[in-house]
Amino acid sequence: PPHRNPSLAPLAARAAALLTELHFWSRRDDGAAAGGGTEGGEGRREEEESLAAELMAEHEDYCGALSGGQRAKLELVRSVLLRPVCPRLLLLDEFFAPLSAWSKALVAGRVGAARPPN
């Protein structure tokens, strides 16, 4: 069932866009799998809308069905990338442990882009 608080919809949409950018549903290390966010335009928008709806729905244990890499990406979006300003200092050693080399590079690039200027 959908979440009862519609005011969270913009936050879910932003989180879904970030997770799609990070290839949240990717099943391969190179991001080429279907649902990995590699489609352009319409496919990406559909993926973001589907993920936003899923994030808005109530789940008994959403993270229990996710891989370690998916949980890490979800936590990064939740705790860092949805903030108005990215923290100046991030210690992410343990965070990167469950990610593949390809995902580490993708995530590092996104965190670098969100970092405040020096």
Side-chain angles (χ1 to χ4, degrees):
H3 195 279
R4 302 273 188 252
N5 187 347
S7 67
L8 294 177
L11 184 64
R14 187 161 172 246
L18 289 165
L19 288 167
T20 300
E21 182 181 333
L22 295 175
H23 297 259
F24 184 71
W25 293 121
S26 180
R27 301 292 186 245
R28 288 181 35 183
D29 286 345
D30 62 4
T38 58
E39 314 90 0
E42 187 68 28
R44 182 179 174 118
R45 187 171 61 246
E46 288 175 4
E47 183 178 346
E48 287 177 15
E49 289 172 359
S50 174
L51 185 53
E54 187 171 327
L55 292 173
M56 287 292 293
E58 293 183 31
H59 300 274
E60 179 119 358
D61 183 15
Y62 182 73
C63 290
L66 301 177
S67 71
Q70 288 172 315
R71 283 192 299 269
K73 291 173 184 178
L74 186 63
E75 181 60 22
L76 175 74
V77 167
R78 185 197 66 77
S79 63
V80 177
L81 297 178
L82 286 177
R83 291 173 167 231
V85 177
C86 187
R88 286 192 153 308
L89 176 66
L90 292 172
L91 301 176
L92 298 174
D93 182 48
E94 289 299 316
F95 166 81
F96 280 101
L99 298 178
S100 67
W102 179 83
S103 285
K104 286 177 187 177
L106 186 65
V107 168
R110 185 61 184 95
V111 169
R115 203 180 69 217
N118 291 335

